[in-house]
Amino acid sequence: MGSKMGLSVWMMLCFTLAHVVLHTDSVAVMSVDLGSEWMKIAIVKPGVPMEIVLNKESRRKTPVAVALKENERLFGDSAIAMAAKNPKVVARYLQDLLGKRMENPQVDLYRKRFPEHQLVAADQRGTVIFKLSDELYYSPEEILGMVLNYSRTLAQDFAEQPIKDLVITVPAYFNQAERRAVIHAAQMVGLKVLQLINDNTAVALNYGVFRRKDINATAQNVMFFDMGSTSTTATVVTYVTTKTKDSGTQPQLQIRGTGFDRNLGGFEMELRLQDHLADLFNAQKKTRKDVRQHPRAMAKLWKEANRVKTVLSANVDHMAQIEGLLDDIDFKAKVTRQKFEELCSDLFERVAEPVHQALKAAELKMEDIDYVILVGGATRVPKVQEFLLKAVGKKELGKNINADEAAAMGAVYQAAALSKAFKVKPFFIRDAAIYPIQVEFTRAIEEDGVKSIKHNKRVLFQRMSPYPQRKVITFNRYSDDFEFFVNYGDLNFLSDGDLSIFGSLNLSTVQLSGIGSSFQKHSDSESKGIKAHFNMDESGILSLDRVEAVFEKVQDGEPEEESTLTKLGNTISSLFGGGSSETDGKENLTEAVQDEEEATSKTEKDDQEEPAAAKEKGIPTEESSKSEEQSKAEPNEEKGNQPEPGEDTAKTGTPETLDKKVEDVGKADVKDPESNKTEEVKKPKGPKRLKISENVTVALEIQDLPDLSQEEMSKSQKKLQDLTDRDLQKQEHEKMANSLEAFIFETQDKLYQDEYQAVSTQDERDQISTKLSEVSNWLDEDGYAASTQELKTKLSELRKMCKELFFKVEERRKWPDRLAALDSMLNHSTIFLKGARLLPEADQIFTEVELSTLEKVITETTKWKNETVEEQNKLPSTQKPILLAKDIEAKLALLDREVKYLLNKAKFAKPKPRKEKNTTQEMKNTTTEDQNTTDSENIIPPTKETGEDTEHVEEVKPGETPPTVNKDQTTVEDDEAEIPEPDVLESSKGTAEGTLENNSDKHPPDEL
């Protein structure tokens, strides 16, 4: 309990949710950890830092399943229950179908696993479509949109406010088409995706957020091994602090390497166990039918296989049993863990492969990994942990994060960071693109009089390049319209199976037009090439922002002296551009470096300082000098793919060179305004150069999987909205029918209760009972088919008929409490009034009008109460009462207002000045004064005489100046007067009036 409270406190401190007041209806954000089998939902709202959403069954995770019947939809556990009865209408494991064409091997595998579904190809895009009937067709994106909309409903009910913004987790191995499919699904239901975050990155973020204090300048390498329902991923993450201008020293995580197996997970183990159970049932030969030919029976076996697999993780054997599996035949069989491990032996052999892939991509050894952390539900299988422990060579595996909820919690932290409504402590993320992307184009060349077409490739994003970031590629040899292609790069690291599942290697074709007219328009200017600006955003989705033709014009026409900055830029440009010695090519590349730096992503800018310790761990840093940069770049260019002098060049290179090192050049030389000013001073004679940019018309055609057209998107949105409206109408109809039925049953029961019979006649009860029976019969026969409005009308009629009966009973129930409260208020008000009138005139703080008003209210209320109660007692109980609870409450409120007014006045009233007594005799007799100084500690000041002389003390009249007394004496008397003693008041021989006068200013009026 204490650890949970400590974690909550640390969460609050780490999260630091400072709510910013915005003029919006909703400030809450959510995350959805979208797995193959389950989804976990988390929210952030003011006052709730990070919390997992509970579904309608009060569970912390919800099955990703939708039951699509003719007139209704079921989600979550209700859909799973429906799958055992009618598996054909329940769609599950949708991730395997997103962004896939019909001929994809993954679709064939889905058909094999779920033969009850009828899958057809879409007419235009060739993607998968679920055909439920001749009229019902749904794409995987539409079904996923339903799931996301349901997750929003759960989150809104939990947060008690509308939510629109969310972060969704996706597998790290998702390619461009699969990521776009998730975005389309969210758009169909009106959700705003702040980011698609890789699930391994979300887990790493959650791990780092709660260990912020442990992250320092010394790099820590952690491997996360995530085996879920359908896939397995191993990720190497480096944690280190980094220093930025804006945020100071903050923690950062960098994805160093990722390995995966798309079809290794708990689902495949369940299918193996399901097949084994089917063999056992068929071997019993209790029926001639083959259980595999009956989808409903196989669905029951699958559900039991899931349960048995879970139990075997903690037990060596378990009994599988199903009632009425097929033809009302019960099934019961014993399954041992040993048999289960034999069935899945080849799957366990594949556990180590993602680990090796991740280490290879990170260029690290297992000795460099500090911890191995388990994530995902399938990692609970003992044999998986055994093989993994053998592969990593560690003493133990880390189990110190929530394997189910870590991704959802990390994603919701990122959602709060991206939202404008919250502030969180910075935690920088350097995610990595698994698949390289390159630009390909052709150009006509002539060598020795022979014309040919040369095919050129330029790497845009290397494998494991960090993102988000922007890249610019410059084409120098084109002066007319042309086209280029954006494709995936070298994917040799993928297995043949993964490569066949991957889909198209061509991303898009870009046709540029208007280049020739731009050159004609700026014929007097120097061309700096055609620049294409690419952006890979936070979701890992690549887009072409714009293409522009860049020209440079010397204003006065004089040749410009080459500055030191230009020379340095040309040197670096020649390294990446193939060593061109032409002025045009070199200057263009220098400009390209500047453009890229200007468009560098926030992540790249933030990581300006890497500690020296990171280098020892093998982390590429950004602190290399220009000489180091050149030494690294030269060997890379010598290896091959070296452009000809002046050839089209891309501002990309190896990860150690352009992706990071060119950034440093821009930071050190280009972005520094002081440096630019210095160069201007060095070349006072040089003319100014004017840069001219003209946008080029772009026609982009997506090749891997065409996006939905606007018409298709609108059609899907309308379809899903109609389903949502239908569900809402059905829920309203069911709610109204249930309310009507409940009202009938409750009222029929009330008619036989004593309190209802006491206030009604037999005729009244018979009339109500007859009407209730009539509506009940109608409801049983035709009511459930009636419209919602008809149900509302029937319920309204019944309530109107029973209104007077319920009113009489309700009033009688309220009488005891209300009358008791009124009597108590009258009693206290009377006591208060008497106490206030006992105050002497000199100390009275209430006016006569105020006291008279209170007295009048007390009198009138008492009289009203007595008369009304007396009259009510004379009336028969079946008549409408005249003593009403609302009238009693009104009288209570009036009394309460008057008394509170006087109490507040007494509370804030300032004490009147103390009235001094005539102490002439005291001043004449100093000896007596000295003697009484000691005695004065036991009596109320300012009286100094003995008891016999007290009666001669006269009160100073208003306007008279009190006799002057010694300053020191007055001080002593004032100090003594601050501590009145009630015992002295009671035993004083003076008059009561004199005692009150001497002490009235020391006793607040509210003591009465």
Side-chain angles (χ1 to χ4, degrees):
M1 183 65 182
S3 62
K4 289 184 178 179
M5 291 183 65
L7 185 61
S8 299
V9 172
W10 169 239
M11 185 190 303
M12 291 288 291
L13 293 176
C14 177
F15 206 78
T16 319
L17 281 178
H19 174 48
V20 180
V21 179
L22 299 177
H23 299 288
T24 58
D25 295 334
S26 172
V27 294
V29 292
M30 61 180 286
S31 71
V32 178
D33 177 20
L34 193 62
S36 298
E37 183 179 8
W38 302 93
M39 68 175 176
K40 278 75 68 176
I41 310 164
I43 65 164
V44 173
K45 72 172 185 176
V48 180
M50 294 191 293
E51 183 62 46
I52 293 292
V53 173
L54 303 181
N55 59 20
K56 295 179 180 179
E57 291 78 21
S58 297
R59 301 179 65 186
R60 298 175 70 87
K61 60 181 182 179
T62 304
V64 180
V66 184
L68 298 166
K69 300 174 69 176
E70 289 289 340
N71 297 319
E72 67 175 340
R73 293 183 302 173
L74 301 176
F75 297 92
D77 293 298
S78 300
I80 296 298
M82 178 61 65
K85 302 175 182 178
N86 189 4
K88 181 181 178 180
V89 300
V90 180
R92 306 172 66 182
Y93 293 90
L94 302 170
Q95 276 191 0
D96 295 337
L97 301 178
L98 292 174
K100 305 288 193 306
R101 295 181 185 271
M102 198 64 188
E103 62 272 12
N104 194 290
Q106 197 74 1
V107 178
D108 294 335
L109 180 61
Y110 189 91
R111 280 176 161 175
K112 179 181 178 182
R113 290 173 171 176
F114 302 98
E116 64 271 12
H117 291 306
Q118 184 178 357
L119 303 181
V120 297
D123 295 337
Q124 298 180 357
R125 304 171 67 215
T127 54
V128 179
I129 296 292
F130 283 88
K131 182 180 180 182
L132 302 179
S133 66
D134 293 339
E135 294 80 19
L136 290 180
Y137 293 85
Y138 295 104
S139 67
E141 291 87 349
E142 290 174 339
I143 299 176
L144 180 60
M146 299 178 195
V147 174
L148 293 176
N149 192 46
Y150 178 69
S151 71
R152 172 171 59 180
T153 302
L154 295 177
Q156 289 180 158
D157 293 342
F158 192 83
E160 298 178 343
Q161 59 179 284
I163 300 177
K164 186 178 180 181
D165 300 343
L166 82 164
V167 169
I168 304 175
T169 68
V170 295
Y173 54 77
F174 261 23
N175 58 27
Q176 295 290 308
E178 291 168 314
R179 292 175 186 270
R180 294 199 307 270
V182 177
I183 295 292
H184 293 159
Q187 291 174 346
M188 289 177 182
V189 291
L191 285 169
K192 179 183 178 183
V193 179
L194 299 176
Q195 179 181 345
L196 294 182
I197 186 171
N198 293 336
D199 48 15
N200 57 349
T201 306
V203 170
L205 177 60
N206 176 255
Y207 180 85
V209 162
F210 294 104
R211 291 159 182 82
R212 177 184 292 267
K213 292 183 179 180
D214 299 333
I215 302 174
N216 49 44
T218 302
Q220 303 176 37
N221 295 324
V222 180
M223 174 178 286
F224 295 94
F225 186 84
D226 180 3
M227 180 178 285
S229 179
T230 60
S231 63
T232 299
T233 305
T235 308
V236 177
V237 182
T238 297
Y239 294 95
V240 69
T241 54
T242 183
K243 190 174 182 180
T244 63
K245 274 186 178 180
D246 299 334
S247 305
T249 301
Q250 298 293 346
Q252 171 187 277
L253 71 86
Q254 179 180 357
I255 305 298
R256 300 290 305 282
T258 303
F260 61 89
D261 189 328
R262 277 180 177 260
N263 295 311
L264 175 61
F267 181 43
E268 183 63 29
M269 299 178 192
E270 294 169 12
L271 293 178
R272 301 279 181 95
L273 190 54
Q274 177 198 30
D275 193 57
H276 174 65
L277 295 178
D279 289 337
L280 293 178
F281 179 80
N282 287 336
Q284 294 177 0
K285 297 182 179 181
K286 294 182 179 181
T287 178
R288 295 181 179 180
K289 297 179 180 178
D290 183 0
V291 70
R292 290 186 177 87
Q293 303 301 320
H294 296 78
R296 183 173 178 179
M298 291 300 292
K300 292 180 180 180
L301 283 175
W302 177 20
K303 183 178 180 180
E304 183 64 11
N306 185 306
R307 189 186 68 85
V308 171
K309 184 201 75 172
T310 304
V311 174
L312 289 179
S313 297
N315 299 273
V316 295
D317 56 52
H318 188 64
M319 189 66 68
Q321 48 188 355
I322 305 174
E323 294 183 4
L325 175 60
L326 183 64
D327 293 340
D328 294 329
I329 300 174
D330 297 339
F331 170 67
K332 189 175 183 179
K334 184 178 181 180
V335 181
T336 64
R337 182 191 292 181
Q338 181 180 359
K339 182 60 179 179
F340 171 69
E341 292 174 351
E342 290 176 1
L343 294 171
C344 305
S345 58
D346 61 318
L347 300 180
F348 299 137
E349 295 290 341
R350 292 158 55 183
V351 167
E353 184 58 28
V355 174
H356 300 325
Q357 293 178 10
L359 291 173
K360 183 178 180 180
E363 298 180 353
L364 294 175
K365 298 180 180 179
M366 200 63 232
E367 293 76 16
D368 300 322
I369 304 300
D370 298 317
Y371 307 102
V372 178
I373 309 297
L374 294 180
V375 187
T379 57
R380 298 186 178 97
V381 176
K383 207 66 175 178
V384 171
Q385 297 182 16
E386 178 184 331
F387 274 78
L388 178 61
L389 200 59
K390 182 179 178 181
V392 300
K394 299 291 182 182
K395 293 183 179 180
E396 60 180 357
L397 302 173
K399 303 175 184 179
N400 49 355
I401 65 172
N402 190 319
D404 289 326
E405 300 175 1
M409 298 297 279
V412 80
Y413 187 94
Q414 183 68 0
L418 296 174
S419 172
K420 297 179 180 179
F422 303 96
K423 287 184 180 179
V424 300
K425 285 189 175 181
F427 202 110
F428 300 123
I429 301 174
R430 289 173 60 88
D431 211 333
I434 296 181
Y435 308 116
I437 296 177
Q438 62 188 15
V439 173
E440 302 182 22
F441 54 94
T442 58
R443 186 170 57 83
I445 60 173
E446 183 175 350
E447 293 182 356
D448 300 331
V450 179
K451 295 183 178 181
S452 61
I453 301 296
K454 183 178 180 181
H455 187 75
N456 299 276
K457 296 181 180 180
R458 294 293 175 266
V459 176
L460 194 61
F461 291 94
Q462 294 279 357
R463 188 188 177 202
M464 303 310 296
S465 292
Y467 71 86
Q469 68 168 306
R470 298 175 183 272
K471 289 292 185 71
V472 179
I473 184 170
T474 302
F475 303 93
N476 294 320
R477 288 299 189 91
Y478 290 96
S479 59
D480 205 349
D481 299 349
F482 69 99
E483 67 176 4
F484 63 88
F485 309 91
V486 182
N487 302 324
Y488 287 106
D490 185 8
L491 300 180
N492 289 335
F493 60 91
L494 294 178
S495 65
D496 293 339
D498 288 336
L499 200 58
S500 62
I501 295 173
F502 190 83
S504 174
L505 301 182
N506 302 319
L507 284 173
S508 59
T509 300
V510 181
Q511 181 70 45
L512 305 180
S513 59
I515 297 176
S517 59
S518 297
F519 272 79
Q520 293 177 2
K521 182 178 179 182
H522 302 285
S523 57
D524 58 342
S525 301
E526 181 182 6
S527 172
K528 292 299 180 181
I530 310 300
K531 298 181 181 296
H533 297 259
F534 292 89
N535 175 34
M536 183 172 285
D537 61 15
E538 293 84 354
S539 300
I541 298 177
L542 180 67
S543 62
L544 177 61
D545 284 348
R546 68 185 188 280
V547 179
E548 58 184 1
V550 182
F551 303 91
E552 194 173 273
K553 183 177 182 182
V554 180
Q555 289 185 333
D556 54 6
E558 297 180 5
E560 181 182 9
E561 182 181 350
E562 195 175 46
S563 66
T564 305
L565 175 62
T566 306
K567 292 177 181 178
L568 174 61
N570 292 341
T571 303
I572 298 174
S573 301
S574 65
L575 293 175
F576 298 120
S580 173
S581 59
E582 296 183 15
T583 305
D584 290 354
K586 290 186 289 185
E587 289 183 354
N588 184 31
L589 287 174
T590 304
E591 180 66 23
V593 173
Q594 296 176 7
D595 285 350
E596 184 179 6
E597 173 57 25
E598 292 171 2
T600 302
S601 67
K602 180 179 179 183
T603 306
E604 293 284 344
K605 293 181 180 178
D606 288 340
D607 304 323
Q608 295 177 1
E609 182 174 334
E610 296 285 348
K615 298 179 181 179
E616 299 175 1
K617 290 278 186 175
I619 306 173
T621 63
E622 299 182 14
E623 297 176 352
S624 303
S625 63
K626 298 168 188 173
S627 60
E628 294 172 339
E629 199 174 279
Q630 296 173 3
S631 65
K632 289 183 180 180
E634 288 172 359
N636 291 328
E637 290 298 329
E638 292 173 359
K639 290 180 181 178
N641 196 27
Q642 186 173 359
E644 297 179 353
E647 188 178 334
D648 308 280
T649 57
K651 292 178 295 181
T652 56
T654 61
E656 293 81 5
T657 55
L658 186 59
D659 281 346
K660 297 181 179 178
K661 305 307 177 183
V662 175
E663 306 290 342
D664 293 342
V665 177
K667 294 170 185 173
D669 301 312
V670 179
K671 298 300 287 185
D672 188 357
E674 297 299 329
S675 176
N676 292 338
K677 293 179 182 178
T678 303
E679 291 304 323
E680 291 178 3
V681 173
K682 289 182 180 179
K683 51 176 185 178
K685 296 181 181 181
K688 292 184 178 180
R689 289 180 174 269
L690 179 63
K691 179 181 175 181
I692 304 172
S693 298
E694 182 140 346
N695 289 334
V696 175
T697 303
V698 177
L700 188 145
E701 182 181 355
I702 298 177
Q703 299 293 335
D704 57 343
L705 187 67
D707 284 340
L708 290 169
S709 65
Q710 187 60 44
E711 180 182 355
E712 290 174 322
M713 176 63 72
S714 300
K715 184 178 179 181
S716 295
Q717 289 175 341
K718 184 178 184 304
K719 182 194 297 186
L720 297 186
Q721 186 60 46
D722 291 343
L723 290 174
T724 302
D725 294 341
R726 188 192 68 183
D727 290 345
L728 292 176
Q729 292 174 1
K730 182 181 179 182
Q731 293 173 8
E732 182 67 20
H733 183 275
E734 292 176 350
K735 181 180 178 181
M736 189 56 56
N738 292 335
S739 298
L740 179 58
E741 187 176 19
F743 182 86
I744 293 172
F745 290 149
E746 290 174 2
T747 306
Q748 287 176 338
D749 180 65
K750 289 175 180 179
L751 293 179
Y752 295 95
Q753 297 177 9
D754 294 339
E755 59 179 347
Y756 286 89
Q757 290 184 351
V759 297
S760 61
T761 63
Q762 185 63 43
D763 292 340
E764 292 173 342
R765 293 194 297 272
D766 291 343
Q767 185 178 1
I768 293 175
S769 180
T770 301
K771 184 64 176 178
L772 291 173
S773 299
E774 178 185 338
V775 176
S776 179
N777 294 333
W778 171 83
L779 185 62
D780 293 337
E781 295 175 1
D782 305 320
Y784 290 101
S787 65
T788 304
Q789 186 58 42
E790 288 181 279
L791 295 173
K792 286 183 179 180
T793 302
K794 294 290 184 181
L795 181 58
S796 177
E797 292 175 356
L798 292 179
R799 285 176 174 171
K800 184 177 181 181
M801 174 177 287
C802 302
K803 181 179 179 181
E804 185 175 348
L805 174 62
F806 293 164
F807 175 76
K808 288 186 288 185
V809 173
E810 190 65 25
E811 286 296 319
R812 288 181 175 274
R813 288 176 178 175
K814 294 178 179 178
W815 283 350
D817 292 340
R818 301 298 191 277
L819 290 175
L822 183 59
D823 289 338
S824 177
M825 178 61 73
L826 286 171
N827 185 35
H828 287 83
S829 301
T830 303
I831 295 174
F832 174 80
L833 178 62
K834 289 180 180 179
R837 289 196 179 279
L838 287 177
L839 288 174
E841 182 179 354
D843 298 325
Q844 184 60 262
I845 61 175
F846 306 120
T847 65
E848 182 61 29
V849 175
E850 293 170 342
L851 296 178
S852 299
T853 302
L854 177 59
E855 183 177 13
K856 180 181 178 182
V857 172
I858 293 173
T859 303
E860 291 179 350
T861 302
T862 303
K863 181 181 178 181
W864 174 85
K865 177 214 160 192
N866 295 334
E867 293 178 353
T868 308
V869 171
E870 183 180 356
E871 292 181 10
Q872 178 63 48
N873 291 334
K874 296 178 181 179
L875 291 176
S877 59
T878 57
Q879 289 191 10
K880 186 176 182 180
I882 59 173
L883 179 62
L884 304 179
K886 64 177 183 179
D887 295 338
I888 302 175
E889 292 169 357
K891 297 295 182 180
L892 276 170
L894 179 59
L895 268 175
D896 185 63
R897 183 176 71 245
E898 292 296 333
V899 174
K900 280 186 177 178
Y901 169 76
L902 297 179
L903 286 176
N904 288 333
K905 183 176 181 181
K907 181 178 180 181
F908 296 104
K910 295 182 179 180
K912 294 183 179 180
R914 284 190 339 115
K915 298 180 180 180
E916 301 290 345
K917 300 298 180 181
N918 187 0
T919 57
T920 305
Q921 182 178 357
E922 175 192 10
M923 296 178 63
K924 290 180 180 180
N925 192 351
T926 56
T927 304
T928 307
E929 176 185 341
D930 294 338
Q931 180 181 356
N932 289 341
T933 301
T934 304
D935 298 337
S936 65
E937 296 176 359
N938 299 321
I939 64 175
I940 298 298
T943 305
K944 301 298 182 183
E945 290 79 16
T946 60
E948 291 80 359
D949 298 331
T950 304
E951 61 184 5
H952 300 293
V953 179
E954 296 180 2
E955 182 180 354
V956 179
K957 297 180 180 179
E960 294 181 357
T961 304
T964 305
V965 296
N966 185 277
K967 182 177 181 180
D968 296 336
Q969 176 186 348
T970 306
T971 304
V972 174
E973 291 174 353
D974 288 343
D975 293 339
E976 293 167 351
E978 292 177 359
I979 312 176
E981 299 184 10
D983 293 339
V984 177
L985 288 174
E986 296 173 3
S987 61
S988 176
K989 295 181 181 180
T991 62
E993 182 179 353
T995 304
L996 284 172
E997 288 176 356
N998 290 335
N999 297 279
S1000 61
D1001 58 337
K1002 303 303 176 183
H1003 294 272
D1006 58 338
E1007 290 186 1
L1008 296 173

